[in-house]
Amino acid sequence: MARLVSVALREAPAALDTPVYDAAKRLFDVVGALVGIAALLVLTPFVALAIRLDSPGPVFYVARRLGRGGEPLRVLKFRTMDMDAEGREAHLRGVAARAGVEFKAPTDPRITRVGRWLRRSSIDELPQVFAVLMGHMSIVGPRPVYAEEFTRYEDELAVR
C-alpha cells in the first residue's frame, strides 16, 4: 500500500511533464466530466430518494481534502454513512484492519445499506465530476486525501 501511495503523491515523471501530455490529460478530464455530469443528471433523483428513504440526513456529503500540491479542496459525494459517522471513527480505528495511514474497516457499521451499494458501484463518487470539470481534480490521478490522513504519511511520501 505504501508503494502505491508514494507513486500517487510524488511528482509526475519528467516524460509525462510536457504541454502535450497536460493538454491531452485535461481534454480527457473535460470529456469524462461531461459524460459523468450526464450520468449524474439521470441518476441523482433516484440516488437521492434512496438515500433519504434509507437514513435521515442530507443527500450529499462535503469533505475537506487536500488536492494537487497539498491545496485545500472541497469534495462533494453522495452520503454513504450515518450522520454521526465522524464521531464514531475514533472507536472504530482501534478495531480496524488497516488503521494505518488510510483508515478502512472491513465491515464499517457506520455505512448505510444504500451506502454499501453506492460504494460498491462507485456512484457515491460521481458528484466529484464537477471538481474535475473545474480542474481541481483529475479522473486519472491521485485521490484527494484528508488533511489528517496526509499528516500521517512518512516524509518520503509527501508531496515535494
Side-chain angles (χ1 to χ4, degrees), residues 16-33:
L16 299 179
D17 194 19
T18 66
V20 172
Y21 175 81
D22 291 342
K25 185 173 181 178
R26 182 66 187 138
L27 178 63
F28 179 78
D29 284 345
V30 169
V31 171

Side-chain angles (χ1 to χ4, degrees), residues 18-56:
T18 66
V20 172
Y21 175 81
D22 291 342
K25 185 173 181 178
R26 182 66 187 138
L27 178 63
F28 179 78
D29 284 345
V30 169
V31 171
L34 292 174
V35 170
I37 288 171
L40 188 63
L41 289 173
V42 172
L43 291 174
T44 295
F46 302 106
V47 173
L49 181 63
I51 290 171
R52 293 299 301 222
L53 291 174
D54 187 44
S55 63

Side-chain angles (χ1 to χ4, degrees), residues 74-87:
R74 287 179 35 178
V75 175
L76 182 68
K77 298 173 71 172
F78 285 117
R79 184 177 57 82
T80 60
M81 291 189 164
D82 294 326
M83 290 300 300
D84 64 345
E86 289 179 4

Side-chain angles (χ1 to χ4, degrees), residues 63-75:
R64 286 172 176 49
R65 306 269 177 100
L66 296 178
R68 182 181 299 147
E71 290 295 316
L73 172 68
R74 287 179 35 178
V75 175

Side-chain angles (χ1 to χ4, degrees), residues 115-127:
R116 288 192 203 295
W117 178 78
L118 292 174
R119 286 179 173 209
R120 256 194 323 270
S121 62
S122 295
I123 291 174
D124 65 317
E125 308 279 348
L126 201 50

